[in-house]
Amino acid sequence: MILTGTIALCILAAYVGGALWLVVRLGLTLHQALLYLPLKLLYRIDDARMRRVRKAEAPVVYVVCHQARLDPALMLSLLPDDTLHILDEASARSHWLEPWRELARTIAFNAEHVFVSRRLVRVLKGKGRLAVYLPDDVEPGTKAFRLYRAVARIALRADAKVVPVFVAGARHLPFSLTPRRKARRRLFPKLTVSTLEPLTISDLMARNVTQPARASNALFDRLAETRLEATGPTRTLFLATLQAAFTNGARRIAVEDTGGEALDYRRLLIRTRLVGLKLAAITAPGEAVGIMLPNGSDLVLTLLGLSSSSRVAAMLDYSASPDAVTEAVRTALVRTVISSRAFAEKANLGDVVDAAEKGGTRFVWIEDLQARMSLADRIAAASFWWWPVHAQDAEKPAAIMFTPGSEGKPKTVVLSADNIMANAMQIAARISFGPGDKLLNVLPAYHAFGLTGGIALPLATGMRLFLYPSPLHYHIISEVADEIHPTILLGTDAVLAGYAQNAKPGAFSSLRFALVAAEPVRAETRREWREHFGMEIVEGYGLTEASPAVSVNTTTHGREGSAGRLLPAMKMRLAPVEGIAEGGRLLIQGPNLMLGYMSAEAPGTLQPLGEGWFDTGDVVSVDRDGFITVLDRASRFAHIGSDMVSLGTVEALAQKLWPEERHAAIAVAAVARGERIVLVTTSEDADCEEIRRSERLGKSSPLLPDEIVKVARMPLLGSGKIDYSAVRHLIDEQTGNEAAA
């Protein structure tokens, strides 16, 4: 009896001691600490940032992403005890929450409390504190977004600071509010309380340097930043995939391809270690290793193997000219290229292989690597599948991308794992993805969107990834989609237009949306997808140097014709451009911006990006809601007399008249007017007079092309975009003009 009592007293003393430690460490009251301690122990809560939250000067509004029934208990335990908590009706009535509701004042949530906000404004103006629980919707609908407007209005009127709070891991709790298809349930997931520094709504609105943002959008963006912050320190592709395996289950299917390969996370990581060890034996840490593989499981295994062994993936464009491939391997000092003998033969890449070898590289065939994997290797890999081959550092170079130079000289862009994974998580903080989704990726990995959006994003978020080797198999891809039932399709405007023209009506019926970047989406493509498939296209904007996404629309928060809103943790400003009244040259900052360039003049040497703003080279306009509209590349404005004319606008005029065809406008030097416009088109009916009559333009309008060149086939890049460099050469050949701009 004495022993039992002694043990009980020791346990009680330890419990009280732990509570007192929380009082000292976080500044909680003893009552709060006593109720919080068991939650902290059960869920191993990382609460290091809560001291800053508690010290926020009143008036303050704590905006909590409400993911699970546990959130009010956590916040009542951790926030200052003078905070007024506005609880949803279920939390206000829950019997189990009664002990925590005694820690602070609470009121039940309903529409009247939100929209009749005078009382809440008075509370805040009296140096009060509010805790508001907003639904954890990455893409809030119209009804949910009204809450953002109401909360922003309250905070703005009271000039209160806003502190966003996100509990990472809460969506995986057994009593999560997130549907099971979006988040696998775990009994005791580790929780991390993430938050950002207190800022007023006015401060948040003023961060849009172009023009002040709307209060509701500023608050929405702040919560998106918190959601991004909650993903934790940026990881390499290997570590992000490993984390996804632990979160979503190692037996969950991660990658599929047309060869019938279906790899769960465990098998994927076992084979990753095998590939990584073989690559580590023939290359050095930090070495640039070329990849020349089509979309498939071998591509993913090679990327993960290079990541695990801390090698740099040089993504070679096998659709490029032999000279471009030779220059690429020389610029990046690629000494080894991983490819498939079967692929090289089937795709007739003999000249590309010869060009790479001419640049000083050797080819290692994936078939030979796999043949050298012994039984002992496989057993060892199965025993240590969670262990990287080499120490990981997300800040070092991870990928080298070679821009095609569609409008000028190609560039060699160096990205870190930090850049790529930050960009993937930025997209995930804007668009709702999860284990219930299956992504069909047809874009090649040498395309930055194909690498980040088509491989890194699904691997890190638990989406099931299906890889198809070419975006140009228009008839086949719709049949594949009918068989595998994807929910998301990745593509470009050019390939989606091809699907609309070749697929049967009703195809792609399983899709939630198609996510498109790389070029503006034409109105005709949108119309065809709505009519044929009843499907919306979600458009984004980016560039390789930004890993590549910069902005994106969402299905609930978008504006047709725009490229969407800036991704979380990014900043932008516009530099004035002579001759353009509305809009300017887009300058950006963000964690997804590249490390720098490499050049042929200094092979293998990184030329760091440096501090300050990065000039995208694009001329854009930004509206009050933050939606970006890309007007054109700065290099694609023609000087016609005293006017600046967007060549993209000229193309759009032709597209309206002949929507089934492809059109490219080029500026050519002219003695009298500075430059003149040549329209290259696949339309046999294209006529300048028809454009003039249709748009009611004057005969001297600068938007009218001076010449029309008709071609049977428009030069395209492997991604489906127009190859403007090839178009210029075509014009030179047909007109003899060497001054095409």
Side-chain angles (χ1 to χ4, degrees):
M1 189 70 179
I2 296 175
L3 179 60
T4 303
T6 302
I7 293 173
L9 285 173
C10 288
I11 293 174
L12 180 61
Y15 187 86
V16 174
L20 291 173
W21 173 70
L22 289 173
V23 170
V24 174
R25 179 172 166 270
L26 296 177
L28 308 181
T29 66
L30 182 59
H31 192 182
Q32 285 180 312
L34 290 170
L35 288 174
Y36 173 59
L37 182 59
L39 300 178
K40 180 172 177 62
L41 296 175
L42 280 175
Y43 301 108
R44 308 174 305 288
I45 300 174
D46 180 354
D47 51 22
R49 297 177 183 174
M50 285 308 299
R51 179 171 286 275
R52 179 174 66 181
V53 171
R54 291 180 61 86
K55 286 186 175 181
E57 184 180 352
V60 62
V61 179
Y62 301 104
V63 183
V64 183
C65 289
H66 196 10
Q67 304 174 80
R69 294 299 177 196
L70 187 66
D71 291 334
L74 285 176
M75 294 303 105
L76 285 161
S77 300
L78 289 170
L79 296 179
D81 60 349
D82 61 346
T83 303
L84 172 61
H85 293 254
I86 306 176
L87 302 179
D88 62 283
E89 293 183 354
S91 297
R93 292 196 308 263
S94 295
H95 295 296
W96 71 269
L97 196 59
E98 185 62 33
W100 282 272
R101 285 201 296 267
E102 296 297 322
L103 296 175
R105 294 178 299 152
T106 65
I107 58 174
F109 169 89
N110 57 48
E112 286 72 23
H113 280 127
V114 173
F115 295 108
V116 182
S117 55
R118 294 178 183 176
R119 175 189 172 190
L120 301 182
V121 171
R122 286 198 300 269
V123 169
L124 288 173
K125 285 187 174 181
K127 297 298 181 181
R129 300 171 186 268
L130 294 180
V132 181
Y133 298 78
L134 294 183
D136 179 38
D137 293 327
V138 176
E139 302 178 69
T142 303
K143 182 177 180 180
F145 203 74
R146 285 204 298 264
L147 300 178
Y148 284 87
R149 285 197 290 268
V151 173
R153 188 188 311 119
I154 292 167
L156 186 63
R157 288 179 179 176
D159 195 28
K161 290 184 172 60
V162 172
V163 178
V165 181
F166 186 93
V167 183
R171 66 197 330 249
H172 298 288
L173 288 164
F175 29 85
S176 168
L177 300 174
T178 305
R180 288 183 178 272
R181 62 182 175 80
K182 292 186 178 182
R184 176 175 176 250
R185 299 300 193 257
R186 297 166 61 192
L187 196 56
F188 298 112
K190 177 176 171 43
L191 304 181
T192 301
V193 182
S194 181
T195 185
L196 298 175
E197 65 175 324
L199 290 174
T200 65
I201 292 293
S202 297
D203 293 334
L204 295 175
M205 293 168 66
R207 292 195 308 169
N208 185 349
V209 296
T210 306
Q211 56 180 315
R214 294 188 189 277
S216 53
N217 284 332
L219 178 61
F220 174 66
D221 291 344
R222 192 60 168 171
L223 262 68
E225 289 178 24
T226 316
R227 188 176 284 105
L228 176 64
E229 180 76 13
T231 60
T234 307
R235 299 174 289 271
T236 62
L237 178 61
F238 172 80
L239 292 180
T241 305
L242 182 64
Q243 181 60 49
F246 291 148
T247 300
N248 300 293
R251 294 297 183 183
R252 175 178 175 77
I253 297 297
V255 177
E256 300 173 89
D257 63 16
T258 54
E261 187 97 65
L263 297 175
D264 60 31
Y265 275 104
R266 189 172 185 277
R267 289 179 59 207
L268 177 67
L269 291 168
I270 288 173
R271 291 177 59 177
T272 289
R273 185 165 177 82
L274 283 167
V275 173
L277 287 169
K278 294 302 178 184
L279 293 176
I282 59 175
T283 59
E287 180 180 339
V289 180
I291 296 181
M292 194 179 289
L293 290 166
N295 278 357
S297 60
D298 285 340
L299 169 64
V300 177
L301 288 167
T302 303
L303 283 167
L304 285 170
L306 291 175
S307 175
S308 174
S309 57
S310 294
R311 272 62 175 173
V312 182
M315 309 306 299
L316 297 175
D317 181 355
Y318 44 79
S319 70
S321 68
D323 288 343
V325 173
T326 300
E327 182 176 353
V329 298
R330 285 176 175 171
T331 300
L333 288 183
V334 176
R335 296 288 175 257
T336 304
V337 174
I338 310 300
S339 189
S340 162
R341 189 179 286 110
F343 168 62
E345 292 174 357
K346 185 176 181 179
N348 195 24
L349 297 180
D351 57 343
V352 176
V353 172
D354 292 342
E357 290 177 336
K358 179 183 176 182
T361 189
R362 59 169 175 161
F363 273 75
V364 174
W365 305 108
I366 195 75
E367 294 92 341
D368 297 340
L369 270 184
Q370 292 169 345
R372 293 198 295 267
M373 295 174 184
S374 66
L375 178 60
D377 291 335
R378 296 175 191 277
I379 293 173
S383 302
F384 298 98
W385 59 272
W386 63 87
W387 201 261
V389 172
H390 193 274
Q392 304 284 281
D393 187 345
E395 295 183 358
K396 290 185 176 180
I400 299 175
M401 311 297 294
F402 304 94
T403 67
S406 61
E407 297 166 15
K409 188 176 179 181
K411 296 178 181 178
T412 301
V413 176
V414 182
L415 303 173
S416 68
D418 201 344
N419 298 147
I420 296 170
M421 298 314 303
N423 198 226
M425 294 300 99
Q426 285 172 314
I427 298 171
R430 273 277 189 249
I431 301 177
S432 180
F433 299 110
D437 285 309
K438 179 184 284 189
L439 187 145
L440 172 57
N441 178 24
V442 301
L443 295 181
Y446 59 73
H447 188 294
F449 192 44
L451 176 64
T452 299
I455 295 178
L457 176 63
L459 287 179
T461 57
M463 278 190 285
R464 195 163 172 168
L465 170 62
F466 190 97
L467 291 161
Y468 190 85
S470 171
L472 304 180
H473 296 169
Y474 298 137
H475 292 284
I476 300 174
I477 288 173
S478 63
E479 297 175 2
V480 170
D482 288 342
E483 181 179 340
I484 67 169
H485 305 297
T487 59
I488 300 166
L489 171 67
L490 222 61
T492 65
D493 174 78
V495 299
L496 261 63
Y499 303 155
Q501 294 166 13
N502 292 276
K504 297 178 181 178
F508 301 107
S509 59
S510 61
L511 290 181
R512 290 202 290 127
F513 58 84
L515 183 57
V516 178
E519 59 182 336
V521 178
R522 294 171 295 169
E524 178 66 14
T525 307
R526 289 186 187 277
R527 183 189 64 78
E528 288 180 336
W529 269 71
R530 284 172 181 154
E531 290 180 359
H532 293 183
F533 312 129
M535 186 64 52
E536 291 298 323
I537 295 174
V538 173
E539 183 177 357
Y541 156 74
L543 58 158
T544 304
E545 290 88 342
S547 306
V550 172
S551 64
V552 70
N553 285 286
T554 73
T555 53
T556 62
H557 209 66
R559 186 155 296 169
E560 188 169 318
S562 82
R565 304 177 69 249
L566 202 66
L567 291 175
M570 293 197 72
K571 297 178 181 179
M572 68 175 172
R573 68 181 180 89
L574 302 186
V577 177
E578 185 180 355
I580 299 176
E582 295 185 8
R585 201 169 176 123
L586 178 64
L587 309 180
I588 56 174
Q589 291 179 339
N592 51 317
L593 277 182
M594 65 175 181
L595 294 179
Y597 292 113
M598 286 182 179
S599 68
E601 291 73 27
T605 302
L606 175 66
Q607 300 170 355
L609 180 61
E611 301 295 329
W613 295 88
F614 176 75
D615 185 352
T616 65
D618 288 311
V619 178
V620 308
S621 63
V622 183
D623 67 15
R624 178 71 187 278
D625 291 315
F627 286 93
I628 298 171
T629 300
V630 181
L631 304 178
D632 215 331
R633 294 287 295 172
S635 59
R636 286 190 33 83
F637 278 83
H639 295 266
I640 310 296
S642 59
D643 297 309
M644 289 282 286
V645 178
S646 165
L647 297 176
T649 301
V650 177
E651 293 170 354
L653 296 180
Q655 198 70 48
K656 285 174 63 177
L657 287 171
W658 305 285
E660 304 295 328
E661 306 296 335
R662 299 303 299 261
H663 314 277
I666 299 293
V668 177
V671 176
R673 303 172 65 193
E675 289 179 316
R676 64 190 183 92
I677 297 175
V678 178
L679 179 67
V680 179
T681 177
T682 59
S683 171
E684 295 182 357
D685 301 324
D687 179 72
C688 288
E689 184 61 23
E690 182 68 20
I691 296 175
R692 189 188 70 80
R693 285 198 305 267
S694 173
E695 298 297 323
R696 298 181 181 179
L697 300 173
K699 291 186 177 181
S700 61
S701 171
L703 290 174
L704 282 175
D706 296 276
E707 180 183 354
I708 292 180
V709 175
K710 298 175 182 179
V711 296
R713 187 176 181 182
M714 183 69 68
L716 300 176
L717 299 169
S719 62
K721 294 173 63 176
I722 293 175
D723 186 344
Y724 284 100
S725 181
V727 172
R728 291 186 186 104
H729 287 302
L730 187 150
I731 291 177
D732 288 344
E733 292 175 0
Q734 293 204 16
T735 66
N737 191 326
E738 297 296 331

